[in-house]
Amino acid sequence: MKAQGADAGAVRRALRLLANVGPSAQAAIPGGYAWAMTVAPAAFGRGAPWIAKAVALVGVLALLSAPWVEGWKAEPRAEAEPPPPRTLAGLVERVRTASSGAWARAWSVWGLVLSSALVWALVPGALAATRLDNVRGILGMAGWALFAFTSAAPALPRDRARAELVDDGSPLKPRSSVARGDGAYIAVVLVAVLAMQTIGWGVGNPERAVLVRVVTLAAGVALLTSATTVALARHATRVPASRKLRMRRATPWLALLCVLAGSGIAFAMLR
Amino acid sequence: MHLLDVLAALLLTAAAAAFAFGAFALARADDVEAFYFLIVGAVALRSSVQVVRPGAGA
């Protein structure tokens, strides 16, 4: 129990330290990693034009200079102030009064993403399966995912005035806990979804390689969504449906599944 | 755990397997097989959700 408390304290201290670094600096770490894994080999590889090298360096510059942009203008919009209307004048007002954090995030995200896209467009052969190592591709993908996550939801600095109102040691209880079995549902499906991402890295044709990635990503999203629905449905207050209704609802889909499975088996046997 | 929950979990597993087979077939450039498995996966996924839908408002 004491060890658990010490662990929680250490995690809290680490998160506080990370939050004090600033959102742009946090995003620069996974962004730099993703850049090193997927952009640098393309831009600085054999046969890459000088313009690709220059554009790739712009991406690094965006990441490194974003923390400086963040500290450039320190007055964010007042919380009580209503947002400007969704007109051209409102848009101009939004841009004019945007906080330094918003500018830094835009510069960091768009600077890196656009420069990387331009590098890949200038050196299209760099992403071919014959030149891209499987492990490096997967690690690069994880780096981009972390960069997106850190840019969208960085650890925020502690608001001292508000923090004083909350007693860290107060016995706050969560409103609800994750029901037993839900974690297993999601964990199993998550493993299946991640395993699906390992398929198709050796495809030689770039168009087909992209198609395989798109299909596996779409299948993964669909699986996760359905798994969540199925897991949550176990806890819903069950209103018993009549036998007729259940039959009418489930039969078409199950019948279609049986027809598809039967025709697949028949086709495989005839071939 | 209801029998319907077990059936839904099985259908979900079948959908995951079908999607994986479909992706493998797509990578092999076997388009007919890929299309077949992806449709089977989609139907199995839809069935799994339909099976656990509550009675009210259906």
Side-chain angles (χ1 to χ4, degrees), chain A residues 30 33-34 37-38 133-146 201:
Chain A
Y33 178 74
M37 283 285 149
T38 57
D133 181 54
N134 286 4
V135 176
R136 207 181 68 199
I138 291 169
L139 289 176
M141 210 160 70
W144 278 105
L146 282 174
W201 287 90

Side-chain angles (χ1 to χ4, degrees), chain A residues 32-46:
Chain A
Y33 178 74
W35 181 89
M37 283 285 149
T38 57
V39 182
F44 298 96
R46 218 181 311 154

Side-chain angles (χ1 to χ4, degrees), chain A residues 38-61:
Chain A
T38 57
V39 182
F44 298 96
R46 218 181 311 154
W50 67 268
I51 185 91
K53 295 178 176 62
V55 172
L57 289 176
V58 171
V60 180
L61 186 71

Side-chain angles (χ1 to χ4, degrees), chain A residues 109-191:
Chain A
V109 171
W110 290 107
L112 181 64
V113 169
L114 290 179
S115 66
S116 303
L118 206 56
V119 168
W120 293 326
L122 287 167
V123 197
L127 292 178
T130 45
R131 286 184 63 181
L132 189 68
D133 181 54
N134 286 4
V135 176
R136 207 181 68 199
I138 291 169
L139 289 176
M141 210 160 70
W144 278 105
L146 282 174
F147 174 65
F149 180 73
T150 322
S151 300
L156 296 172
R158 187 179 173 138
D159 186 338
R160 286 189 184 279
R162 287 185 186 175
E164 278 172 11
L165 301 173
V166 181
D167 177 12
D168 279 351
S170 66
L172 290 173
K173 297 261 188 305
R175 282 188 199 167
S176 62
S177 55
V178 178
R180 203 175 155 194
D182 282 5
Y185 259 85
I186 301 303
V188 169
V189 172
L190 206 58
V191 167

Side-chain angles (χ1 to χ4, degrees), chain A residues 34 107 127-128 135 163-164 203 212 226 249:
Chain A
W107 171 230
L127 292 178
V135 176
E164 278 172 11
V203 179
V212 174
S226 299
R249 214 167 51 188

Side-chain angles (χ1 to χ4, degrees), chain A residues 185 196 199-200 203 208 211-212 215-216 219 222-223 226-227 230 233-234 238-239 241 245 249 253 256-257 260-261 264 271, chain B residues 1-2 5 8 11-12 16 19-20 23-24 26-27 29 31 36 38-40 43 45-47 49-50 52-55 58:
Chain A
Y185 259 85
M196 223 181 278
I199 300 170
V203 179
R208 186 164 287 277
L211 182 64
V212 174
V215 167
T216 49
L223 270 173
S226 299
V230 170
R234 297 184 310 130
R238 302 210 186 231
V239 181
L245 175 65
R249 214 167 51 188
W253 293 101
L256 185 59
L257 194 61
L260 281 169
R271 203 155 61 159
Chain B
M1 197 166 184
H2 293 216
D5 294 327
L11 284 167
L12 203 65
F19 281 140
F24 273 122
L26 202 62
D31 290 344
Y36 169 75
L38 293 176
I39 287 180
V40 169
V43 171
L45 212 56
R46 182 72 183 153
S47 308
V49 175
Q50 287 294 104
V52 292
R53 266 178 67 187

